[in-house]
Amino acid sequence: MELAIGGVIANWFGVIIIYSNSLYNSSYRIILPYVIISALISTLGILFARYHQKIASIFIIIGSIPFIPLGLIGIFGGRKIINKVDEKI
């Protein structure tokens, strides 16, 4: 779970980087709403992780995809949650 939380935090750092670049470059303004939505999806996954772990990990993975290479942290964390759920079954 800690790896997934770290991945979501890294996603938000990516949003901050893109936002700061959007102040000077208009092409970053175009992708800014998409990365904010992706970061919100991964954050929603963290919020659901306590109750619905498999769905939450899918949200974390989907929200982390646009942030490659930073998003790999969240993807690995989401995959780790899925593996834990599969072991319990």
Side-chain angles (χ1 to χ4, degrees):
M1 185 67 162
E2 296 83 19
L3 191 60
I5 293 171
V8 172
I9 291 170
N11 291 350
W12 281 106
F13 280 129
V15 170
I16 291 170
I17 291 168
I18 291 174
Y19 172 72
S20 64
N21 286 328
S22 72
L23 299 174
Y24 305 107
N25 191 344
S26 63
S27 61
Y28 285 99
R29 287 185 203 139
I30 295 170
I31 63 169
L32 183 62
Y34 299 110
V35 295
I36 290 174
I37 290 171
S38 296
L40 287 173
I41 289 171
S42 61
T43 304
L44 186 66
I46 289 294
L47 296 176
F48 280 155
R50 188 171 189 181
Y51 305 107
H52 305 287
Q53 291 183 342
K54 201 153 195 169
I55 295 171
S57 62
I58 292 170
F59 280 160
I60 293 168
I61 291 171
I62 290 172
S64 297
I65 289 174
F67 295 101
I68 300 291
L70 280 176
L72 287 175
I73 302 168
I75 291 171
F76 291 145
R79 186 67 201 156
K80 191 173 179 182
I81 293 172
I82 289 175
N83 290 339
K84 283 184 182 179
V85 169
D86 289 340
E87 288 176 2
K88 288 180 183 178
I89 294 176

